[in-house]
Amino acid sequence: MAGGFAKDGAVQEQIDATIEDAVQRARNELPSGESLYHCEECDAPIPAARREAVPGVRLCVSCQAAHDAENEVFSGYNRRGSKDSQLR
Ligand SMILES: [Zn+2]
């Protein structure tokens, strides 16, 4: 049953990594606290309307769009990964 132990450990590691990943991503996607006056990435001024519309905003519109595009790629990849691990 040594193989069974190794398998369980691997699955647990994967779950831990997934949770950690999800927490990190949630933090990136749902900023909280004070809105920044300048973009964290490119230092462009963030308009007052955007700061009020998005509490805790950290990025200007163009950097946010770039981040959203990145996250779509990552979540698509991750979804495929967790589906694959459920089948095993
Ligand atoms: Zn920016």
Side-chain angles (χ1 to χ4, degrees), residues 38-46 58-64:
H38 292 90
C39 174
E40 195 176 65
E41 295 252 310
C42 71
D43 215 33
I46 297 171
R58 284 153 45 202
L59 301 171
C60 70
V61 178
S62 56
C63 288
Q64 186 64 60

Side-chain angles (χ1 to χ4, degrees), residues 29-86:
E29 280 177 13
L30 301 167
S32 56
E34 284 194 42
S35 303
L36 297 184
Y37 285 79
H38 292 90
C39 174
E40 195 176 65
E41 295 252 310
C42 71
D43 215 33
I46 297 171
R50 176 162 168 74
R51 296 205 314 272
E52 279 168 31
V54 188
V57 68
R58 284 153 45 202
L59 301 171
C60 70
V61 178
S62 56
C63 288
Q64 186 64 60
H67 269 245
D68 288 349
E70 257 176 50
N71 283 339
E72 265 173 45
V73 172
F74 277 128
S75 59
Y77 175 81
N78 202 46
R79 218 171 292 143
R80 220 180 308 142
S82 35
K83 196 178 171 190
D84 188 48
S85 64
Q86 271 174 6

